[in-house]
Amino acid sequence: MNSSRPLARKAAAFGASAAVLGAMVAGLAAAPAQASTQATAGKAGAAATSTKARPKVSVSTPKASSRDTDGSCPVKVDISANINVKLDGKTELAYRWLHGDGSKGKVKVLKLKGHGTKSVKIGQTLTFNEDVKGWEAVQVLGPRKVTSKKGYFSVTCQDAVVVDKDQLSSGKRISVSAWADPSSYVGPCTPGDKVNFLGRIKVNDPTWVKYRWVLNGRVVDYGRTKVYHSKTVSFGYSPRESQRGYATLQVVGRGGSSSDQAYYKVWCRDEAPSTRVSATNLVTATNNDGCKVGAHATINSTGRARVEYTWYVNGQSVDRGEVGFGREGSRTVELSDRVLSGSATKGGRVTLAVSGPRNNDSISQSYAACEAPKPKVSVSSLSVSGQRNEFCADKRGPGVDFKATISSTAPTTVKYYWVIDGKRENPDLERQVNGSVDVTWGIAGAQSASETKGSVQLVVTSPDSASASTSFSVSCPKGA
């Protein structure tokens, strides 16, 4: 038994766990296990080589729960690492731990399936009863052989002596209390302290005090502080999964004291559902004046997000931008009029594509072909152009001639008629108009009168509506 102690101390100096130390001391007893490990590794390698396309594999550097642990032994150290496998179907992941003393752990095999990169978190717990400085690494044997970098850690064992004997004999008294803040936590369990444990140490006379925190039966923190009357100490805990438990603040030794248990409860859940974005209510409009197309649509988000968007006309990007959401909501975005040319003037499609933090979406709508703008017709300069006094000899008022100008923005056939004193004078007349043209009309003199007066109106009925009107009054010359 004595001959095994130097070997155990040497192995511990290279980071061996208690299990590994036992295997080394046992000597030949480890040989069958080693042979089994090699055989399993061989099977994993054969499985990997039989795969036509081996997935890509990467391994993170192993991390210890505490790289440098200083406290009373035995001490447990948690080691974890992530293995990323790019999948396209099914595969088997074979891996093992490599220890700092040169030994190797048992090969473990996991069956994976799916598409895309899958992250597998692996871990182990090592227990040490004496000082250790060592490392751990992960070796993947299949579907592709990869070895991680070494993750280093150390353990230093200390006695948990808190108060000197002469302080105790002098009648110094120490009391402690502890509580969790918050005692109940609901939210995402991401890295970072979620629960703070606080403790108050009280003394009846100034003294140095050593203390330690125990979380669910495991020592997690140490300290030494000078307390004059009372002092608050604390540590933070970041849970990885939903759980409940307690922490205790201890002053250990003769006359030492422990606090009441500080209970806590953690419920891990997402802070909010994953934000999703969408595009809706797309409306397109064709402007025939210059043959242009415009559009507007609504961008929606279920939560806080920055959303980028792009407008496409017939598959070609024509405009882009972004909108921000502080919370759930909707925003309207517009595509200003774009001039169309070539085949695009005959109709096409407008598309709005949006990209959010978690997803993408798009919406499309057709637009109408451009049409030649309809001519716009107007009437101006309606006036009396002359009078005919020959009617005066028959004891009638003079005849009256009228003139007006019809204008059009494009060549067209204009239909129109005249109205005298509210009565239509004639059926529709037609004139070809390309720009402006003057039209005329005349009436005979009024019966038994020396004056002809009233109102005149020119009404256009096609291609659109227009009109002009005025009043008139003309008299026969004196002595006629």
Side-chain angles (χ1 to χ4, degrees):
M1 188 69 178
N2 292 337
S3 62
S4 66
R5 290 179 180 174
L7 177 59
R9 285 196 297 269
K10 181 177 180 182
F14 285 95
S17 66
V20 174
L21 294 177
M24 293 183 67
V25 173
L28 294 176
Q34 184 176 4
S36 174
T37 298
Q38 292 173 348
T40 307
K43 292 179 181 179
T49 56
S50 63
T51 305
K52 293 183 179 179
R54 294 184 298 172
K56 292 183 179 179
V57 179
S58 62
V59 190
S60 66
T61 302
K63 267 188 180 179
S65 53
S66 177
R67 177 164 178 169
D68 300 307
T69 303
D70 187 1
S72 60
C73 290
V75 171
K76 291 183 178 181
V77 178
D78 293 327
I79 311 286
S80 63
N82 288 320
I83 303 175
N84 297 318
V85 183
K86 190 172 184 180
L87 294 172
D88 188 14
K90 297 181 180 180
T91 191
E92 289 189 351
L93 172 65
Y95 71 93
R96 63 186 173 189
W97 288 94
L98 304 181
H99 307 301
D101 62 352
S103 63
K104 300 174 183 178
K106 182 180 178 181
V107 175
K108 296 183 178 180
V109 179
L110 299 175
K111 293 183 178 180
L112 306 178
K113 64 179 180 179
H115 298 276
T117 301
K118 186 176 184 65
S119 181
V120 179
K121 187 170 186 177
I122 62 172
Q124 62 173 345
T125 299
L126 306 178
T127 302
F128 301 96
N129 293 302
E130 56 184 319
D131 295 354
V132 171
K133 287 186 178 180
W135 56 263
E136 292 289 307
V138 178
Q139 184 181 53
V140 176
L141 303 172
R144 184 186 295 267
K145 192 168 184 179
V146 178
T147 302
S148 73
K149 295 181 180 179
K150 298 175 181 178
Y152 293 89
F153 65 93
S154 68
V155 172
T156 302
C157 296
Q158 292 184 355
D159 294 332
V161 178
V162 181
V163 184
D164 295 337
K165 293 181 180 180
D166 58 345
Q167 292 176 328
L168 294 174
S169 62
S170 64
K172 294 183 178 181
R173 294 188 301 275
I174 302 173
S175 63
V176 294
S177 59
W179 63 95
D181 182 25
S183 59
S184 179
Y185 171 81
V186 178
C189 290
T190 53
D193 293 345
K194 300 297 180 300
V195 180
N196 290 317
F197 292 95
L198 299 97
R200 183 171 291 115
I201 302 174
K202 292 184 177 181
V203 297
N204 67 336
D205 198 29
T207 185
W208 282 95
V209 176
K210 289 182 180 179
Y211 64 91
R212 67 181 181 182
W213 284 98
V214 180
L215 180 66
N216 298 323
R218 178 184 172 193
V219 178
V220 292
D221 193 32
Y222 296 84
R224 183 174 183 268
T225 185
K226 182 67 175 288
V227 183
Y228 292 90
H229 175 65
S230 70
K231 193 164 190 177
T232 300
V233 295
S234 65
F235 84 97
Y237 174 51
S238 180
R240 300 176 183 177
E241 58 187 10
S242 298
Q243 59 185 258
R244 62 177 63 199
Y246 64 91
T248 305
L249 175 61
Q250 295 181 343
V251 174
V252 184
R254 293 183 180 180
S257 176
S258 294
S259 75
D260 293 335
Q261 293 174 336
Y263 289 92
Y264 71 95
K265 182 170 61 176
V266 173
W267 181 18
C268 296
R269 69 174 185 178
D270 290 340
E271 186 174 5
S274 298
T275 298
R276 310 288 293 182
V277 299
S278 60
T280 58
N281 303 328
L282 175 58
V283 177
T284 63
T286 302
N287 184 352
N288 292 318
D289 185 10
C291 194
K292 303 172 185 176
V293 66
H296 63 82
T298 303
I299 297 178
N300 313 285
S301 178
T302 61
R304 183 182 180 89
R306 182 177 67 88
V307 183
E308 297 179 346
Y309 65 88
T310 304
W311 287 102
Y312 296 88
V313 176
N314 298 322
Q316 182 178 359
S317 172
V318 296
D319 194 14
R320 64 180 63 241
E322 68 176 49
V323 293
F325 293 86
R327 57 182 180 179
E328 179 181 2
S330 300
R331 299 284 181 86
T332 298
V333 293
E334 294 185 0
L335 173 66
S336 57
D337 281 354
R338 301 280 162 168
V339 177
L340 302 172
S341 62
S343 60
T345 62
K346 300 178 181 179
R349 296 186 72 80
V350 173
T351 300
L352 174 64
V354 297
S355 176
R358 299 279 183 178
N359 73 300
N360 302 324
D361 192 24
S362 65
I363 187 172
S364 296
Q365 178 69 46
S366 60
Y367 67 87
C370 294
E371 297 178 359
K374 292 182 178 180
K376 293 184 179 179
V377 178
S378 60
V379 179
S380 62
S381 304
L382 175 58
S383 62
V384 174
S385 61
Q387 68 181 66
R388 284 172 278 117
N389 296 324
E390 62 270 22
F391 290 94
C392 295
D394 296 331
K395 298 181 180 181
R396 302 173 63 180
V400 185
D401 294 326
F402 306 101
K403 183 179 73 171
T405 301
I406 299 177
S407 301
S408 176
T409 59
T412 187
T413 299
V414 177
K415 293 182 178 182
Y416 65 97
Y417 61 87
W418 293 90
V419 177
I420 303 297
D421 292 335
K423 295 181 180 180
R424 181 168 175 165
E425 285 283 294
N426 56 282
D428 282 348
L429 303 174
E430 291 186 1
R431 288 294 298 270
Q432 295 297 319
V433 180
N434 185 7
S436 297
V437 66
D438 291 336
V439 293
T440 60
W441 188 250
I443 61 173
Q447 295 286 345
S448 303
S450 62
E451 181 184 20
T452 305
K453 62 180 181 179
S455 64
V456 60
Q457 182 181 23
L458 176 61
V459 178
V460 174
T461 59
S462 177
D464 61 355
S465 299
S467 67
S469 61
T470 189
S471 59
F472 64 92
S473 177
V474 295
S475 300
C476 291
K478 290 183 179 182

